[in-house]
Amino acid sequence: MKNLKWPARVWSAGAAFVMCGALALPAFSQAPASDADASNEVLSEPVLQILGIDKEQIDPPAGASAKTEETAGKVKAALEEGVRAFASQNGPAAIAAFEKARTEDASLAPATLYFAKLCFATNNEQILNTGRTALETTLASEKDRDTAEAYYLFGRLALAGGRLADADLHFQKALSLSSQGGLPSAAGGEGAKPDDAATKRQRSFLKDIYANQVQVALARRSMSEAESLVNSWLALDADDAQALFRRGQIMYQSDPKSKSKQDEARKDLEKAYQLSVDAQKKDPNAKPDDLAPLPPPELVMIQLHTANQKTKEAEEEVTKLKAEIESKYGANKKEAGRIYSSLAMWYMQTNKAGEAQVMATEAMKADPKAPALQKMSALMRYFTNDPTVKEDFAKMANAEPGDFMVTNTLALILAESDSAEDKAKAVQLAEMNARLNQNSADALSTLCWVYYSVERTSEALQVYNLLVQAVQNGAQLSGDTAYFMARVVVLSNLQNKFEAATQLLQLAKSSQGTFKHRAEAEKWLEDLTGKSSTKPAPATGSTLPKIQAVPTPAGGGTTPASGTSGTPNPGSGSSGNN
């Protein structure tokens, strides 16, 4: 730790939020707190959340003994000293201060664990690596080697990096160690009250473990395992809105054709939304018209129907919701704005510009700052290659991790990054979306493209075949989906691969919806056809060829944009007819 080379920037406690893998962690702002307000701000609520410390541990309740108040004062001072030292780029001093706090209160976590948590909150690669070292130090200590939270944090790091087996092992270890301590009330243990602060902390920790294990199961494409884990999560708290929301999605996707599964999913989504609304009303910091953290169940059902190519059901849901917006949600203008703007997005994505404009107008009347209007703005900026849009989509994905459009677009953005970490996040997001939206051509094409971008060529071509099957089963290809398929098909050993690519590009060109890569597709199509007036017939579900064998490109994979012989680079002027 003594040789830590900190970046030039200085972090102090703040409430900004960033993405860490697919997981949202509070971050530090760049403006250091002044000495005048440091004692009030250093252990702010966001920092306590990072550290995992309850307010009661540093501010004892009224009537506490003088000894308790004295101990709490020393603990608070030491924790503040540690956070200030971290913000001043002094790692060893931060760890020493946290150790001093633990000396006063043995219930506190290891000093290196608190230090690691602060490191992970910065989302800076150099400091993240230092945090990993701090975790290793924690587990290397004989005294702290059974610290459940250290294994949990290693699991989150592995999950963020797409190392599913590694993540699963760490979460299982964390669960085992935590359960050994017993969970009174919720898990059949004895000796503590349900409202005891320590019991609440332990229950919350176990819920976090189950939530992350659900993500691992979904990434592995195991719906039955995910359903079992989310039920274990709900066994700890039957009214956990996030768990109900996740189970509703899983229930639907376990059998999209089952009406009974859809009904069960709707019940979970409705209860999750109502719990979310009720919690918002009880929040002393919330305004009366603030949006509930979870979206209305109708919007989620529309998204699920659409992703599974259930066009009729989606349209029926939209029609019913439009008729009920004012009577059911009109009292909260922000909620009405969210619904109208979400419907505007849905109409835009289904190539109904007129209806999209009507809904956007209603959204502006209800709430000019409606989130979906911001999504539409971000999407337009994505289409124009605005380099700052990555941060916007990361924030939106943090706020609404279940929003397919947001997470799907973020995966595509991250796949184009030069950062290996970004690409790993792209794989995780794309795999998750493909699992939750198994019949969606857009989800599959994004996964195909992301695999291709990280040179997992064999898997990309396998997903391409799934795409062909989805199209044959009635899935509609968007312009970008057809374009990505064309770029991947040229990697195959299909004899007529350039004819297949041409057919796909014809489909892309004829797309009526928003299409980010239209110019590249049209230029590439021009190159492939030699600007001839004789064009191949557009591909259909029955004519798209499957790739029968998987090539083994030299060097682990090539890309259509790389200029490799026989692989046309869109816009380069090469014909691709070698």
Side-chain angles (χ1 to χ4, degrees):
M1 297 293 177
K2 294 181 179 179
N3 297 321
L4 174 62
K5 299 292 185 180
W6 293 85
R9 292 160 52 188
V10 179
W11 284 267
S12 63
F17 285 83
V18 294
M19 291 296 291
C20 181
L23 308 173
L25 292 178
F28 292 134
S29 66
Q30 296 181 37
S34 66
D35 292 337
D37 64 2
S39 63
N40 294 325
E41 297 298 329
V42 170
L43 294 182
S44 61
E45 184 175 345
V47 173
L48 290 177
Q49 289 177 351
I50 292 170
L51 296 175
I53 295 175
D54 291 332
K55 191 75 172 175
E56 293 79 6
Q57 290 179 272
I58 57 174
D59 289 327
S65 67
K67 180 65 175 176
T68 298
E69 289 186 352
E70 180 185 1
T71 299
K74 291 180 179 179
V75 169
K76 184 175 182 179
L79 291 174
E80 287 175 345
E81 181 185 345
V83 173
R84 286 199 195 95
F86 182 88
S88 299
Q89 310 174 25
N90 192 336
I95 293 174
F98 292 141
E99 189 59 52
K100 186 192 304 182
R102 193 186 190 194
T103 300
E104 296 294 337
D105 183 352
S107 70
L108 292 177
T112 46
L113 187 70
Y114 289 136
F115 181 81
K117 288 182 175 182
L118 291 174
C119 289
F120 298 149
T122 66
N123 205 41
N124 175 280
E125 185 60 31
Q126 182 178 349
I127 300 180
L128 285 175
N129 288 332
T130 302
R132 293 186 185 97
T133 301
L135 278 187
E136 291 168 356
T137 302
T138 302
L139 295 179
S141 164
E142 184 175 353
K143 177 182 178 182
D144 299 319
R145 63 187 178 189
D146 288 336
T147 302
E149 198 168 2
Y151 287 100
Y152 167 74
L153 291 174
F154 267 128
R156 290 186 66 176
L157 290 172
L159 179 58
R163 303 188 308 278
L164 301 182
D166 189 14
D168 190 33
L169 288 173
H170 279 96
F171 289 139
Q172 287 185 31
K173 181 68 172 179
L175 186 63
S176 173
L177 289 170
S178 184
S179 298
Q180 287 172 17
L183 184 62
S185 78
E190 298 178 358
K193 300 176 181 179
D195 293 333
D196 177 79
T199 303
K200 287 182 177 179
R201 285 197 300 273
Q202 192 174 9
R203 184 185 297 113
S204 177
F205 180 53
L206 288 177
K207 286 162 63 176
D208 286 342
I209 295 174
Y210 282 126
N212 281 274
Q213 285 184 308
V214 168
Q215 291 196 55
V216 172
L218 290 173
R220 285 175 162 173
R221 308 189 180 189
S222 175
M223 278 297 179
S224 59
E225 182 185 2
E227 186 174 346
S228 174
L229 288 165
V230 81
N231 282 333
S232 296
W233 179 1
L234 284 164
L236 295 171
D237 183 358
D239 290 333
D240 188 302
Q242 290 289 347
L244 287 164
F245 182 77
R246 178 64 85 183
R247 188 173 71 176
Q249 294 176 304
I250 292 170
M251 196 68 68
Y252 184 107
Q253 295 292 2
S254 65
D255 188 359
K257 296 180 180 180
S258 169
K259 182 65 167 63
S260 62
K261 289 288 188 181
Q262 290 180 28
D263 292 341
E264 290 180 55
R266 188 185 295 274
K267 288 179 183 178
D268 276 349
L269 295 170
E270 287 174 346
K271 183 177 180 181
Y273 176 70
Q274 191 56 55
L275 287 168
S276 181
V277 170
D278 293 344
Q280 190 80 357
K281 290 178 180 178
K282 295 176 183 178
D283 185 350
N285 298 318
K287 298 178 181 178
D289 63 343
D290 276 353
L291 284 173
L294 297 177
E298 296 91 341
L299 292 181
V300 184
M301 292 300 291
I302 290 169
Q303 183 182 72
L304 289 168
H305 287 321
T306 303
N308 286 278
Q309 308 302 322
K310 302 180 78 67
T311 305
K312 180 182 177 182
E313 288 86 344
E315 290 175 343
E316 290 174 350
E317 193 80 43
V318 168
T319 300
K320 182 180 179 182
L321 178 57
K322 285 169 61 179
E324 296 177 343
I325 293 176
E326 292 304 324
S327 61
K328 196 172 181 179
Y329 299 103
N332 187 327
K333 293 300 181 183
K334 286 188 177 180
E335 191 63 277
R338 169 159 66 176
I339 295 171
Y340 279 123
S341 55
S342 295
L343 292 179
M345 283 287 294
W346 183 82
Y347 276 126
M348 185 173 76
Q349 291 168 346
T350 53
N351 303 326
K352 297 178 181 177
E355 289 90 337
Q357 183 60 51
V358 171
M359 291 294 101
T361 300
E362 292 299 323
M364 287 294 293
K365 292 178 184 177
D367 180 17
K369 296 182 180 180
L373 290 178
Q374 298 175 28
K375 292 177 191 176
M376 291 177 69
S377 173
L379 195 60
M380 293 301 103
R381 288 166 49 226
Y382 165 67
F383 289 152
T384 58
N385 298 312
D386 184 335
T388 67
V389 80
K390 169 186 166 182
E391 181 179 350
D392 288 346
F393 272 96
K395 289 179 179 178
M396 290 189 292
N398 175 26
E400 295 186 66
D403 189 307
F404 173 75
M405 186 282 290
V406 169
T407 54
N408 188 64
T409 306
L410 179 59
L412 290 170
I413 293 170
L414 296 176
E416 299 292 339
S417 170
D418 292 330
S419 163
E421 183 180 4
D422 280 351
K423 287 184 180 294
K425 294 175 187 176
V427 170
Q428 183 184 8
L429 286 170
E431 289 180 337
M432 183 77 71
N433 276 336
R435 181 56 190 153
L436 287 173
N437 304 278
Q438 300 175 48
N439 299 314
S440 168
D442 287 340
L444 288 172
S445 73
T446 297
L447 179 59
C448 182
W449 179 250
V450 169
Y451 279 157
Y452 158 92
S453 72
V454 295
E455 298 188 350
R456 290 167 62 173
T457 308
S458 176
E459 290 161 285
L461 298 180
Q462 291 174 29
V463 176
Y464 171 86
N465 283 338
L466 294 177
L467 265 168
V468 172
Q469 183 177 342
V471 173
Q472 291 172 340
N473 290 335
Q476 299 298 309
L477 290 181
S478 67
D480 281 308
T481 294
Y483 172 70
F484 290 145
M485 289 178 72
R487 293 192 70 173
V488 171
V489 76
V490 296
L491 293 173
S492 74
N493 62 350
L494 196 70
Q495 288 187 349
N496 61 338
K497 58 187 177 184
F498 292 115
E499 291 178 15
T502 300
Q503 291 179 323
L504 286 161
L505 292 170
Q506 291 259 4
L507 277 176
K509 184 177 180 180
S510 63
S511 170
Q512 299 300 310
T514 50
F515 178 16
K516 173 175 169 56
H517 297 92
R518 183 176 295 279
E520 295 99 315
E522 291 180 351
K523 179 66 173 71
W524 190 12
L525 179 62
E526 222 176 56
D527 293 340
L528 285 172
T529 56
K531 302 182 182 180
S532 168
S533 58
T534 303
K535 305 275 177 83
T540 66
S542 61
T543 62
L544 281 178
K546 283 193 175 183
I547 301 172
Q548 299 301 326
V550 176
T552 307
T558 59
T559 68
S562 66
T564 304
S565 177
T567 306
N569 181 354
S572 68
S574 61
S575 68
N577 294 322
N578 301 21

